[in-house]
């Protein structure tokens, strides 16, 4: 029986690729689900239609009206949640709670931008600061404004968040009046394509406002013109290719990059085994190692603890990890599902070999039996906690990110040493800090802010309310310097900056008042 070939939505209509297609496979059962193919698509026409038809229609609306479009998308996605969960289980191998991080997280983010967009009112451009005199008399002034980009936003997304990865980018783009073309990672493209299909068929967006290309990304960057944008989430190697492409390097296409990240969790001095702060760190490390099988760009990769607590933390984390059942996400007893593919499993196994050259294995979940699946077929692997007492000499631990349920425990001498170790990641998306002294946490947070996009501080009083080390909230910045890609997403309405152009209008006060911003 031939599986369905998913169609692409480009140039305002659904189109199938002309090739046989690439199969998407259930990573637990090994069965073929659907196929994707983008062969033969007219990409220049796709981009032109989005720019000219989709962009013009979106920009004709006010921010308030575009916020209404987002609210309408939220209703459509909520009505189809059950289908999305079924796809996520089959295509991503995730348990229900992990699918919620992706699916409900994306819907929540859309809802937030719908609310924030409503507050922007009926304007078509944004005021940026106050007018400045250009001479002694206030008869000629300069007013900075932000206007929507008159191009298209190309999203090249990663495999780990096929739902949230689309909507966290599309929400501020569409609110800004910029049409979107999304290229989801092939391995998990089904969920992205289904969500786009539901929104398109509901007819809530203008033609050309939202397009999806499933399959190869060949030619997508070639179709970009100077006023377009590209936002990429994935490996540093692919990010380097994007930065070196003529569209970016020669034609100054604005690019936002999120790449590798060796995030840290830091237990401040003063904690003792079993106390509240100690337990908060242990709980969060285990959660970040196991949610989505560690396939999160924000997951904890390095755990920094005082030297005296190295063994107690190792024992406490290992004890919790030993209780994690791994296998078929359809089985209610399973807490952690699979990686997205056998290829990803091979990548994790290779990365573990590299780390094991510099670290000891403190807990080896690879030895535990898998639940309700065949280990020769399923892309499942139990959580692995590594450790190195020589935190300074274990270079590979600070250089190699294993994108799976893997973390490394590292001891530090004092707080300056811990901060230096965190910085060895050469730029990360997030660091979390665990302690009870607000002043000490504050100093550590500011020190970490120079090399991290977000600092997540956890004290006993927020034990039940903090949102989690790796949970990206639309109110906060998502991105990081250096190795993490240098990008910036979300952060409330700050996300709109990427989709706007800043310009200065120099004129009389009467003209500036007439701008309507």
């Amino acid at each position: 029986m031939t599986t369905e070939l998913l169609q692409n939505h480009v140039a305002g209509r659904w189109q199938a690729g002309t090739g046989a297609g690439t199969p998407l496979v259930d990573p637990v059962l090994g069965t073929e689900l659907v196929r994707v193919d983008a062969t033969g698509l007219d990409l220049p026409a796709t981009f032109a239609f989005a720019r000219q038809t989709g962009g013009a229609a979106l920009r004709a609306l006010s921010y308030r009206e575009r916020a209404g479009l987002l609210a309408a998308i939220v209703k459509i996605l909520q009505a189809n949640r059950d289908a999305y969960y079924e796809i996520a289980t089959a295509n991503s191998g995730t348990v229900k709670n992990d699918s919620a991080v992706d699916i409900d997280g994306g819907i929540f983010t859309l809802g937030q931008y719908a609310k924030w967009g409503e507050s922007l009112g009926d304007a078509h451009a944004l005021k940026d600061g106050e007018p400045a005199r250009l001479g002694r008399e206030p008869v000629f002034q300069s007013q900075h404004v932000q206007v929507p980009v008159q191009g298209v936003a190309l999203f090249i997304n990663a495999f780990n968040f096929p739902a949230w990865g689309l909507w966290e980018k599309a929400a501020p783009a569409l609110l800004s009046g910029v049409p979107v073309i999304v290229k989801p990672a092939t391995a998990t493209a089904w969920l992205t394509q289904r969500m786009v299909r539901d929104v398109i068929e509901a007819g809530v967006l203008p033609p050309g406002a939202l397009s999806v290309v499933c399959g190869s990304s060949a030619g997508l960057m070639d179709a970009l013109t100077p006023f377009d944008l590209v936002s990429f989430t994935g490996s540093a190697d692919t990010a380097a290719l994007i930065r070196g492409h003529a569209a970016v390097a020669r034609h100054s296409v604005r690019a936002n990059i999120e790449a590798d990240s060796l995030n840290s969790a830091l237990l401040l001095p003063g904690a003792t085994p079993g106390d509240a702060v100690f337990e908060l760190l242990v709980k969060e490390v285990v959660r970040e190692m196991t949610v989505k099988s560690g396939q999160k760009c924000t997951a904890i990769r390095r755990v920094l603890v005082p030297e005296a607590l190295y063994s107690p933390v190792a024992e406490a984390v290992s004890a919790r990890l030993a209780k994690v059942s791994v296998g078929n996400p359809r089985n209610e007893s399973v807490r952690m599902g699979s990686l997205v593919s056998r290829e990803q499993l091979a990548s994790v196994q290779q990365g573990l070999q590299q780390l094991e050259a510099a670290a000891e294995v403190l807990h080896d979940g690879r030895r535990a039996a898998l639940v309700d699946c065949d280990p020769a077929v399923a892309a499942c692997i139990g959580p692995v906690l590594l450790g190195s007492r020589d935190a300074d000499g274990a270079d590979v631990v600070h250089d190699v990110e294993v994108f799976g349920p893997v973390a490394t425990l590292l001891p530090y001498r004092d707080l300056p040493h811990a901060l230096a170790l965190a910085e060895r990641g050469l730029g990360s998306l997030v660091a979390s800090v665990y302690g009870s002294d607000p002043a000490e946490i504050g100093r550590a947070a500011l020190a970490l802010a120079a090399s991290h996009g977000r600092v997540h501080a956890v004290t006993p009083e927020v034990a039940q309310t903090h949102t989690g080390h790796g949970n990206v909230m639309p109110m906060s910045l998502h991105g990081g310097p250096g190795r993490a890609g240098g990008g910036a997403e979300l952060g409330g309405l700050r996300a709109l900056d990427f989709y706007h152009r800043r310009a200065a209008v120099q004129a009389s006060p009467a003209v500036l008042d007439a701008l309507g911003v």
Side-chain angles (χ1 to χ4, degrees), residues 22 97 152 172 186 300 309 318 331 368 386 392 420 444 456 489 515:
T22 301
N97 286 343
V152 66
T186 297
I300 293 170
L309 295 181
S318 296
N331 189 307
L386 303 169
D392 293 311
H456 187 75
E489 296 173 339
L515 294 176

Side-chain angles (χ1 to χ4, degrees), residues 238-289:
T238 304
L241 294 176
I242 289 175
R243 286 196 177 95
H245 191 279
V248 176
R250 185 171 302 172
H251 301 301
S252 300
V253 166
R254 185 181 293 177
N256 188 81
I257 302 292
E258 180 197 319
D260 301 349
S261 187
L262 287 155
N263 312 297
S264 301
L266 168 57
L267 180 62
L268 291 177
T272 57
D275 71 10
V277 173
F278 180 97
E279 292 299 328
L280 283 168
L281 169 94
V282 169
K283 180 180 179 180
E284 198 65 12
V285 168
V286 172
R287 176 161 66 175
E288 286 300 307
M289 289 181 68

Side-chain angles (χ1 to χ4, degrees), residues 82-168:
D82 289 347
Y84 303 150
Y85 272 87
E86 290 179 7
I87 292 172
T89 298
N91 194 189
S92 295
T94 47
V95 296
K96 187 173 183 179
N97 286 343
D98 291 356
S99 297
V101 175
D102 186 25
I103 297 165
D104 293 332
I107 296 173
F108 174 75
T109 299
L110 272 167
Q112 283 298 128
Y113 277 95
K115 294 176 184 177
W116 292 331
E118 176 72 20
S119 71
L120 296 178
D122 295 320
H124 290 77
L126 301 175
K127 184 179 180 181
D128 187 357
E130 296 301 318
R133 296 183 183 183
L134 295 176
R136 180 174 297 180
E137 300 299 326
V139 295
F140 196 61
Q141 301 181 6
S142 175
Q143 172 66 62
H144 286 86
V145 296
Q146 294 217 69
V147 296
V149 168
Q150 295 195 14
V152 66
L154 170 63
F155 300 154
I156 303 174
N157 285 353
F159 64 74
N160 54 335
F161 282 99
W164 178 85
L166 164 60
W167 299 118
E168 65 97 8

Side-chain angles (χ1 to χ4, degrees), residues 61 68 122 136 355 384 396 441:
L61 304 175
D122 295 320
R136 180 174 297 180
L355 294 186
V384 179
V396 67
I441 292 177

Side-chain angles (χ1 to χ4, degrees), residues 177-442:
V178 180
V180 167
I181 298 174
V182 59
K183 161 55 180 87
T186 297
T188 55
W190 189 10
L191 180 54
T192 304
Q193 193 270 359
R194 174 59 185 269
M195 286 181 146
V196 171
R197 191 191 82 182
D198 289 343
V199 171
I200 295 298
E201 292 185 351
V204 298
L205 290 176
L210 180 60
S211 306
V212 61
V213 176
C214 299
S216 171
S217 61
L220 284 172
M221 291 290 294
D222 298 335
L224 293 171
T225 58
F227 295 138
D228 294 329
L229 312 165
V230 59
S231 183
F232 169 76
T233 302
S235 72
D237 290 340
T238 304
L241 294 176
I242 289 175
R243 286 196 177 95
H245 191 279
V248 176
R250 185 171 302 172
H251 301 301
S252 300
V253 166
R254 185 181 293 177
N256 188 81
I257 302 292
E258 180 197 319
D260 301 349
S261 187
L262 287 155
N263 312 297
S264 301
L266 168 57
L267 180 62
L268 291 177
T272 57
D275 71 10
V277 173
F278 180 97
E279 292 299 328
L280 283 168
L281 169 94
V282 169
K283 180 180 179 180
E284 198 65 12
V285 168
V286 172
R287 176 161 66 175
E288 286 300 307
M289 289 181 68
T290 55
V291 169
K292 291 186 72 70
S293 300
Q295 296 169 115
K296 294 198 305 178
C297 53
T298 52
I300 293 170
R301 305 302 181 192
R302 298 174 298 155
V303 186
L304 310 175
V305 301
E307 288 178 332
L309 295 181
Y310 179 87
S311 293
V313 169
E315 293 168 4
V317 171
S318 296
R320 283 182 176 248
L321 291 176
K323 299 176 182 179
V324 176
S325 53
V326 181
N328 191 334
R330 300 167 182 84
N331 189 307
E332 292 185 359
S333 69
V334 170
R335 178 179 168 187
M336 189 176 94
S338 70
L339 301 174
V340 298
S341 66
R342 293 288 292 187
E343 291 78 13
Q344 185 60 23
L345 174 61
S347 176
V348 168
Q349 292 170 331
Q350 180 182 21
L352 272 168
Q353 289 181 345
Q354 291 179 273
L355 294 186
E356 286 183 74
E360 60 178 328
V361 177
L362 302 175
H363 172 79
D364 196 345
R366 294 169 294 187
R367 298 179 178 178
L370 300 178
V371 178
D372 198 14
C373 62
D374 182 352
V377 175
C380 293
I381 184 172
V384 179
L385 178 67
L386 303 169
S388 174
R389 292 184 181 273
D390 182 10
D392 293 311
D395 293 341
V396 67
V397 170
H398 306 290
D399 292 334
V400 174
E401 180 189 13
V402 179
F403 208 70
V406 180
T408 304
L409 183 64
L410 301 166
Y412 66 82
R413 297 183 299 274
D414 50 31
L415 186 54
H417 184 215
L419 296 173
L421 290 173
E423 195 170 319
R424 288 276 297 274
L426 300 181
S428 300
L429 296 171
V430 55
S432 54
V433 184
Y434 304 80
S436 55
D437 182 343
E440 186 177 40
I441 292 177

